[in-house]
Amino acid sequence: MDLLRRLGQFLDRPGFPWKTLIIGFGITQYVFEGFLSLRQYKILQQTKPPKALEGEIKQETFDKSQAYGRAKSQFGFVASLYSQVQNFGTIYYDILPKLWDLTGIWLHRYSPISFTGEIVHTLIFFFTYNLITTIINLPISYYSTFVLEEKYGFNKSTVRLWVTDLLKGQALGIALGVPLLSAFLAIVQRTGDIFFYYLFLFGIVVQLFAITIYPIAILPLFNKLSPLEEGPLKTGVEALAKRLNFPLKELCVIDGSKRSAHSNAYFYGLPWKKHIVIYDTLIEKSETEEVVAVLSHELGHWSLSHTTKLFGIAQFHMFYIFALFSVFIKNRSLYQSFGFHKEFPIIIGFILFSEALAPMDTVVKLLMNILSRKFEFEADEFAVKLGYSTELARSLIKLQIQNLSTMDADWMYASYHFSHPILPERLGALGWSGKEKKADLKAMDDEKSRVVTGREL
């Protein structure tokens, strides 16, 4: 506590150029990430697949994958610039203090006296700011869904469904945000300098609550979950779960095809009660043994305690975030640098603190991606030991084709951005000898061609 207090006093220096520093952080990160994206874009201009994929991926499929990657990269440049301009404008033109004052006027003019105070004011400010940013970002979201994804055959959504999801998301944000944000502010107000201990405990409770309530009340708002039908796939997955002593409670299929042609599978739940969810697109486009192989990889994460380790790291990260926040919450020079001279709202302090912490978050992101890629290799090795080497390799190749995923990557870009190894690295680690030649994958490629063109061949 004494260390945090002294650090807080050291950083609270009148006239310190916090705004200039944070704008500088933002621009530096933008330039750095742009540099990495340019390096990756050169890889996406290559005309031949990596040697590890020669004979596995048709040239036509590789060309489509590269074109899709370039389109996403070009869109990423625009979206990143759009976001950077927003952030710069918000900081440079003191949008936060102006919006705080405006919402304060609304509160005093239209709300009963019993509904005044920092918590109510913060709620109005937060949801107004969130609504504004949502509206500003609508063009980016629309283009991503209905132009980019549509062009390459992945979008299955409609404008009506997109708008409905947007409205549901906003309503859900208010329904959950009001009590959670109110509790966050109340804890800080009432527990003094040691508030971060209580925020940490509150965060753990919220996570456990989210794990419990998500499949029951939130996921059904956006997708339909159905029990997996009886058959070889269900038998195979249940046998795998029993073999690993995995506490399988429910095995479901999700209608991912409702919005996208991309495929996936995952599990969630409390330690003693797990649910496995398989995308209908994965079942449709894969053999039974290949789906089981994918799940053997996913359950490998559980068996090797990867999920537990990541959860533990997340808790440590949350604790140090709240502890560092206690250093900045009373930093008057930080508030004043951003135009807050009379009021020092908790939520504003947290927003500004988050901006100041951006460089450290960049380092954390890099380290977490390195650890995540290590875990992915270990989960692949786990599947190999279960006897699914060939099936997993075939499945990875199919998923690569179906999702038009990046076939190769610049090492700097991958280190910073990718949480999973690229396909050639994974096939090499699996000891894949290339038994499946182009002719054997023709059906998969033709299926992808059908999806992309919208035609039956």
Side-chain angles (χ1 to χ4, degrees):
M1 282 298 301
D2 186 56
L3 175 63
L4 294 176
R5 180 182 58 80
R6 283 186 291 166
L7 181 59
Q9 292 173 347
F10 174 76
L11 292 173
D12 191 2
R13 301 184 176 190
F16 188 81
W18 285 105
K19 179 186 285 189
T20 302
L21 187 64
I22 288 176
I23 288 177
F25 286 160
I27 293 176
T28 300
Q29 183 175 2
Y30 170 74
V31 171
F32 173 68
E33 293 183 353
F35 165 72
L36 294 181
S37 295
L38 285 174
R39 289 178 61 96
Q40 176 63 10
Y41 195 79
K42 291 181 180 179
I43 299 295
L44 295 171
Q45 291 178 312
Q46 294 176 352
T47 57
K48 293 184 178 181
K51 288 186 177 180
L53 299 182
E54 290 179 356
E56 309 298 337
I57 306 292
K58 286 177 59 179
Q59 184 64 44
E60 180 185 0
T61 301
F62 178 74
D63 292 341
K64 289 175 183 176
S65 171
Q66 292 290 84
Y68 181 49
R70 290 194 299 271
K72 289 194 297 180
S73 182
Q74 292 163 2
F75 173 71
F77 284 121
V78 175
S80 180
L81 178 61
Y82 192 72
S83 176
Q84 185 64 24
V85 170
Q86 286 183 57
N87 292 339
F88 179 84
T90 299
I91 295 173
Y92 187 81
Y93 293 104
D94 291 331
I95 299 300
L96 293 179
K98 290 175 181 177
L99 184 60
W100 179 264
D101 291 341
L102 177 61
T103 51
I105 292 172
W106 294 347
L107 180 65
H108 289 294
R109 182 176 298 175
Y110 302 111
S111 297
I113 296 178
S114 58
F115 283 91
T116 56
E118 184 179 349
I119 292 180
V120 177
H121 190 175
T122 297
L123 292 173
I124 296 173
F125 165 83
F126 180 81
F127 289 114
T128 301
Y129 181 74
N130 182 63
L131 178 61
I132 292 172
T133 54
T134 299
I135 293 173
I136 290 175
N137 287 313
L138 283 179
I140 296 295
S141 176
Y142 183 90
Y143 184 92
S144 175
T145 302
F146 295 103
V147 179
L148 179 58
E149 294 295 295
E150 184 79 27
K151 179 179 179 180
Y152 290 92
F154 291 117
N155 176 47
K156 302 300 178 182
S157 183
T158 63
V159 174
R160 180 177 180 179
L161 180 59
W162 179 71
V163 172
T164 301
D165 284 348
L166 184 67
L167 295 176
K168 286 180 181 179
Q170 291 295 309
L172 190 62
I174 294 174
L176 296 177
V178 168
L180 293 178
L181 185 54
S182 298
F184 175 90
L185 296 170
I187 289 171
V188 176
Q189 288 178 340
R190 298 176 185 179
T191 55
D193 292 338
I194 60 171
F195 71 83
F196 57 92
Y197 288 113
Y198 295 95
L199 279 183
F200 173 65
L201 295 175
F202 174 68
I204 293 177
V205 172
V206 169
Q207 290 174 78
L208 295 177
F209 173 77
I211 291 173
T212 303
I213 201 69
Y214 175 76
I216 300 173
I218 298 178
L219 184 59
L221 294 175
F222 300 92
N223 289 95
K224 180 181 178 181
L225 284 176
S226 305
L228 180 63
E229 296 180 355
E230 296 291 339
L233 179 57
K234 184 175 182 180
T235 301
V237 175
E238 289 178 341
L240 175 65
K242 184 177 181 180
R243 179 181 178 184
L244 300 177
N245 293 319
F246 181 76
L248 179 61
K249 172 67 175 179
E250 190 175 22
L251 186 54
C252 297
V253 179
I254 189 170
D255 59 341
S257 59
K258 179 180 180 181
R259 291 176 177 81
S260 174
H262 292 296
S263 302
N264 201 2
Y266 63 92
F267 68 87
Y268 66 89
L270 297 169
W272 56 88
K273 185 174 65 174
K274 299 290 187 181
H275 304 256
I276 292 178
V277 177
I278 309 173
Y279 276 54
D280 55 356
T281 48
L282 180 61
I283 296 175
E284 177 187 348
K285 299 174 183 178
S286 303
E287 300 295 332
T288 296
E289 285 300 307
E290 292 167 353
V291 177
V292 175
V294 169
L295 289 173
S296 72
H297 166 92
E298 294 301 326
L299 298 193
H301 287 304
W302 171 82
S303 184
L304 297 170
S305 300
H306 292 165
T307 50
T308 303
K309 292 173 183 176
L310 291 175
F311 182 79
I313 292 172
Q315 305 322 298
F316 175 79
H317 182 257
M318 181 173 64
F319 181 79
Y320 100 79
I321 289 291
F322 289 149
L324 284 180
F325 178 44
S326 72
V327 171
F328 284 85
I329 191 171
K330 295 180 181 179
N331 191 319
R332 296 295 181 259
S333 64
L334 177 62
Y335 281 98
Q336 291 168 358
S337 183
F338 285 85
F340 290 87
H341 300 283
K342 296 180 180 179
E343 293 183 88
F344 309 100
I346 295 170
I347 189 65
I348 297 298
F350 192 74
I351 292 173
L352 299 181
F353 158 71
S354 299
E355 294 287 347
L357 200 66
M360 187 178 296
D361 280 344
T362 299
V363 175
V364 170
K365 173 185 176 181
L366 173 63
L367 295 177
M368 289 304 299
N369 279 341
I370 292 173
L371 179 62
S372 176
R373 289 194 297 273
K374 177 178 180 293
F375 283 171
E376 291 301 318
F377 280 126
E378 290 177 356
D380 282 351
E381 183 181 3
F382 182 87
V384 170
K385 290 179 179 179
L386 291 178
Y388 290 105
S389 175
T390 301
E391 292 82 0
L392 181 59
R394 285 206 312 258
S395 181
L396 290 174
I397 293 171
K398 280 189 176 183
L399 288 173
Q400 196 83 5
I401 293 171
Q402 292 162 7
N403 295 330
L404 291 182
S405 302
T406 302
M407 305 285 181
D408 201 359
D410 172 74
W411 71 270
M412 287 182 65
Y413 182 90
S415 298
Y416 183 77
H417 283 290
F418 287 0
S419 61
H420 286 57
I422 58 176
L423 180 60
E425 294 174 336
R426 295 183 72 176
L427 291 180
L430 287 171
W432 177 248
S433 59
K435 295 176 182 178
E436 296 283 338
K437 299 299 181 183
K438 269 194 294 190
D440 300 314
L441 294 174
K442 184 177 185 300
M444 291 183 288
D445 288 334
D446 290 345
E447 170 63 15
K448 183 61 212 170
S449 298
R450 185 188 64 78
V451 172
V452 171
T453 60
R455 298 181 291 108
E456 292 289 348
L457 296 180

